[in-house]
Amino acid sequence: MFKNYLNKIEPKNLFLISVLILSIFGLIMVFSSSSVKGMEDYADSYYFLKKQGIFLCIGLIIFIIFSKVETNFLEKNHKLFYGIGIIMLLLVFVPILGKKAGNATRWIDLGLFSFQPIEISKYMLLIFIAKHLATKSKRIKEFRIGVISSTLPCIPYAVLLIMQPDYGNTVLLLTTIFAMIIISGARLSHLVSIFIVLSCSFYTLILMAPYRMQRLLSFMDPYADPQGSGHQIIQSYVALAKGGLFGVGLGNSSQKLFFLPAQHNDFIFSIIAEELGLLGSSILLCLFGFLIYSGFKILERSKDLFSRNLIAGIVIMTSLQIIINLSVTVGLMPPKGIPLPLISYGGSSLVFTLLAMGLILALDKRRK
Amino acid sequence: MSNFINQLKEDDKKFKRRSNIIKFGIYLFLVAIFLKISYLQIPENDALLTKYDAGKSSSLIVKGERGEIIDSSGEVLAVSVLRPSIFANPRAIKDRVYYSKILSDVLKIPKEEILNKLKSKKYFVYIKRHATHEQWEKISKMNLAYVGMQLEPKRTYPHGHLAGQVLGHTDTDQKGIEGLELKYNKFLRGSAKRIEIHKDAFGKVITKSIEEIDKPNKGHDVHLTIISKYQLILEDAIAAQVKKSDAVSGFGMIMNPNTGEIYAMVSYPFFNPNNYSRYGFEKKKNLPVLNMFEPGSVMKSFLVASALNEGVIDEGAIIDCEKGVRSIGGTTIKDLNPRGKSNITEILVYSSNICASKITELMSKEKYYNYLKSFGFGAKTNINVPSEIAGILDKPEKWSEIQRANIAFGQGISVSSIQLAQALSIIANGGTFIKPYLVKLIVNSEGKVVYKGERRKGNRVLRYETSKKMRKMLKTVLQRGAKRALIEGVNASGKTGTAQFPVKGGYDKHRNVVSIIGFLPSENPQLVAVITIDYPKGKNAYGGRWAAPVFKKAMGAIWLDENNIEKVTSSGDVPSFIGRARREALAIANINNMKIKIQGSGFVQRQNPGPGEEYNLHDEIKLFLDPGI
């Protein structure tokens, strides 16, 4: 019955509403989770709210512009975009521009603001692969086309990401491309072979440095090292446990008082669950569910192959980000450094997620 | 063609199927996440929380604001003011050298000291507690990250060294350490209360219940009998004389012989409790109470009073002073001014030790000992100054003949200024023991009086006639023996004394401790003063030379002030209140039957209507006070 009712809603509207509610909800939670940190670091509890608010405005404008844009230029210039994507990732390694944070160099510092190029580059790769799969759709069942030529373009991206290093986004990107190839209709046996190759290469990567394995598995038993690798997960558990059914109330989280690192970006969901309880976290899950549901509705009614592939890429990648982020927060996956789309603090992530969401609406118009 | 369409349909079906598989996979993950969230959020997970929830609230003891110490005219002598304490998070600061340079410039602390603090591994260090607001303003303008401020109460003494040794001081945490701050700590300190707090991961307190902290649990205010204006007058007079005579120290006090109120209590060199850490133990000592010294000839006043009261001599008695030399039990005693037969007044004027020894011999040892006891010597006055001692007064059984003589002229006995003032008050007030006191009122934060210091009369020590005779006699003694003490316009009575400073096995022949005790007006005494200068240099190091002028200067100024209350002219003009202390202003208004409204504390700076303007009945004269010292 509920599904019938949901079916009656125009997917475009459901999608639009989900995006808007999620981004505004995100802004509120960024404020709630960052006010103490803002006060501590910048003597301004509104510091992060102000920044995120500005980015949300920019993001929403871009969202509207891109939802109306003529999408042919994407197809035409897909090779150019591919190149730009690589250049962006290379910029990280330019001495003055690249910004080191922790052990990783993932940021470009332009003085006025800094951003993570992967947030842009990943969409560039999606556009290229979408076009590639679309033009080669008739021969997709051939191993050379379906597997080799579709996966080879990903290698420079993957290598550059591993060099940063940013394993989270590497996994995200490759899994998305894999899913796009599945949807394009590649042979099952071919897909299995990609899967095996991917798994093997990941395994090798881990074997190259044994500590990675240990770190990778530490999420399964955080209590083994509660002060070290298990700290984030335990504190996240504490936040969720404190939240209970109805939460401690908006703004009342005590885990955000620096017990939980990255409380306003990667671990913002813990604060949401603490302050709003199971009720709030379920509502948030439903909102994401609507977003994904309507995204797939739009995907299923798409007519041309390019928009089908690109919508699939964007919807799947966004879904994967949601899944990875939430799984990390609740201890189902090892920490990855993937923000929660539309919710987490972070300008580049927010703006480009909104841009991609706008593109879905623009691509939807092409079916006429 | 149909084949192609079929192919397309087939493709489309395949696409839908594959897209559904992926969609299903994604939903499966979301359900798994939801289940894990439910698993974590639904059961009460106490074990987890007890073990790992560092953000659990804990309790904190919050101390209430410390009460004020206020003088008799409403002047605030000690108050707790909120000052910014500047702290930093050394863990977060990167450019420590730059920070320490800036902070050192503003706070005037050596750069190295700050740098050391910033190098610590802590998340929180105080850079400077109780900095000034100007300093914090400067620092906050520099936008130094990880440097913050919290307001902390600091004990402040608005008048600096004024009555410093009487007040004492507190430590950085507002706990009384010396003086009245120590003795009345349990009244002054605010009541402690427990508050539930939350701390962040750095241990900084973040509480939700701020109003709870603000609830009043302020300590009591302590009102003193001290009058700042008189205190200042006596301080100035003693300080000037100590400097002039190059003496070691000077101390003294002024009290009301009829009520026991102490108006001034001075120790010089001064002690400024605002910077208490810069002073050693000696300079913090409240000398009029704690310094026990041999009083010398001033004691002859009490000898004569006892003998008169006992009836062993009368005012007209003539005693032979033996031309300045007398042998008692093998020891020779001498007079500075050798005389033959003299009357009692002359004996006091010329301060004959020989005649004093003869007078004491007229009474039994026990008798005179009992008199000294009832004057209050050899016992604590219980003035509530920390570590008061009784002084030395041996039991009469132990007195040898020479010691008996010595005690008669003030040697071999040690007393404090407050004991002398207490004893002299008996002579001045008509013969009854009166207990001196410093604390007039203790008032709690709701304005309720919890303690009232009152005039406490003790036993009659002297008959009224004896007191009257002594007032008159001491008037002559002062007039003839200590001209430097005489005050124009009022008769004063008193006695000077000079004693040598006792050292191990004898006396320091060069170090004289010179004193004057006295009261005025002789006919109806209102003020008693005891003043001592320790070790004035040069010739003539006598009480009459060095202590007497202080008496004149201080008592003269105070007497003038006490009686300088204007009566309004019949025309109904507004009198001048300018420069008056609160107490005086009230007195003037009272005499003139006028209503006044006082704003601020200290001395009157402005008044409305102004002096000389017409006064309408029912008008209120507004007085604006400001601490001007």
Side-chain angles (χ1 to χ4, degrees), chain B residues 162-202:
Chain B
L162 194 83
Q165 289 94 339
V166 177
L167 299 173
H169 65 91
T170 68
D171 63 8
T172 326
D173 297 316
Q174 302 260 300
K175 188 172 165 271
I177 294 296
E178 289 278 357
L180 295 176
E181 294 273 29
L182 168 62
K183 205 71 189 181
Y184 287 86
N185 190 48
K186 67 169 187 283
F187 293 103
L188 287 164
R189 67 155 189 239
S191 52
K193 66 192 291 189
R194 194 176 287 273
I195 284 178
E196 293 296 306
I197 53 149
H198 296 273
K199 282 185 177 180
D200 71 11
F202 305 134

Side-chain angles (χ1 to χ4, degrees), chain A residues 119-133:
Chain A
E119 298 292 346
I120 307 170
S121 296
K122 59 188 180 190
Y123 296 111
M124 302 292 186
L125 183 63
L126 292 192
I127 292 167
F128 179 81
I129 299 288
K131 177 66 187 171
H132 179 81
L133 290 172

Side-chain angles (χ1 to χ4, degrees), chain A residues 40 141 182-183 185-186 223 234-235 237 240 242 244 257 259 269 273 278 281-282 293 296 300 308 330, chain B residues 12 14-15 18 20 22-23 26-27 29 33-34 36-37 40-42 48 52-55 200-201 204:
Chain A
E40 191 69 16
K141 292 202 158 51
I182 295 177
I183 284 191
Y223 302 106
I234 292 176
Q235 290 305 325
Y237 284 175
L240 264 73
K242 276 178 144 182
L257 306 175
F259 294 106
F269 182 74
L278 183 60
S281 46
S282 306
Y293 173 83
F296 271 96
E300 281 155 14
R308 173 184 288 179
V330 299
Chain B
D12 207 48
K14 201 172 167 188
F15 157 70
R18 292 196 168 187
N20 275 334
I22 290 174
K23 194 163 74 177
I26 289 171
Y27 284 147
F29 265 109
I33 290 165
F34 175 74
K36 182 76 190 264
I37 294 172
L40 286 168
Q41 295 210 270
I42 293 173
L48 177 77
Y52 295 106
D53 182 10
D200 71 11
K204 212 169 107 186

Side-chain angles (χ1 to χ4, degrees), chain B residues 378-550:
Chain B
K380 291 181 186 179
T381 61
N382 294 321
I383 185 68
N384 274 341
V385 163
S387 50
E388 188 189 2
I389 48 172
I392 299 163
L393 176 60
D394 285 341
K395 287 259 153 47
E397 306 88 76
K398 290 206 228 156
W399 291 3
S400 65
E401 284 309 306
I402 182 66
Q403 192 182 356
R404 182 188 191 180
N406 281 343
I407 288 170
F409 50 80
Q411 287 179 12
I413 174 176
S414 82
V415 303
S416 63
S417 310
I418 190 170
Q419 285 175 342
L420 288 171
Q422 180 180 257
L424 190 63
S425 292
I426 298 170
I427 294 176
N429 72 15
T432 28
F433 183 89
I434 187 104
K435 190 182 176 309
Y437 65 99
L438 262 175
V439 174
K440 201 151 85 172
L441 288 176
I442 298 178
V443 182
N444 73 11
S445 55
E446 274 106 49
K448 217 180 115 202
V449 173
V450 297
Y451 167 86
K452 197 162 190 284
E454 281 169 333
R455 183 169 93 131
R456 266 200 268 168
K457 281 202 163 186
N459 299 328
R460 177 161 285 280
V461 180
L462 303 175
R463 278 176 286 118
Y464 181 69
E465 288 72 37
T466 315
S467 157
K468 225 174 149 187
K469 282 176 199 164
M470 283 307 296
R471 290 176 189 169
K472 208 175 146 197
M473 209 178 276
L474 289 176
K475 182 170 89 180
T476 318
V477 168
L478 214 59
Q479 279 166 358
R480 289 177 60 188
K483 293 203 167 54
R484 290 171 198 269
L486 298 182
I487 298 160
E488 212 175 305
V490 62
N491 290 324
S493 306
K495 174 83 189 84
T496 58
T498 305
Q500 282 170 340
F501 188 78
V503 289
K504 221 177 177 184
Y507 289 94
D508 182 337
K509 287 228 165 66
H510 304 287
R511 182 168 183 176
N512 283 353
V513 179
V514 304
S515 308
I516 183 167
I517 63 174
F519 54 83
L520 58 71
S522 302
E523 300 74 24
N524 173 30
Q526 299 299 318
L527 297 166
V528 160
V530 172
I531 291 151
T532 304
I533 308 284
D534 184 2
Y535 204 1
K537 305 294 183 325
K539 275 190 201 166
N540 296 324
Y542 303 122
R545 170 70 187 87
W546 291 112
V550 180

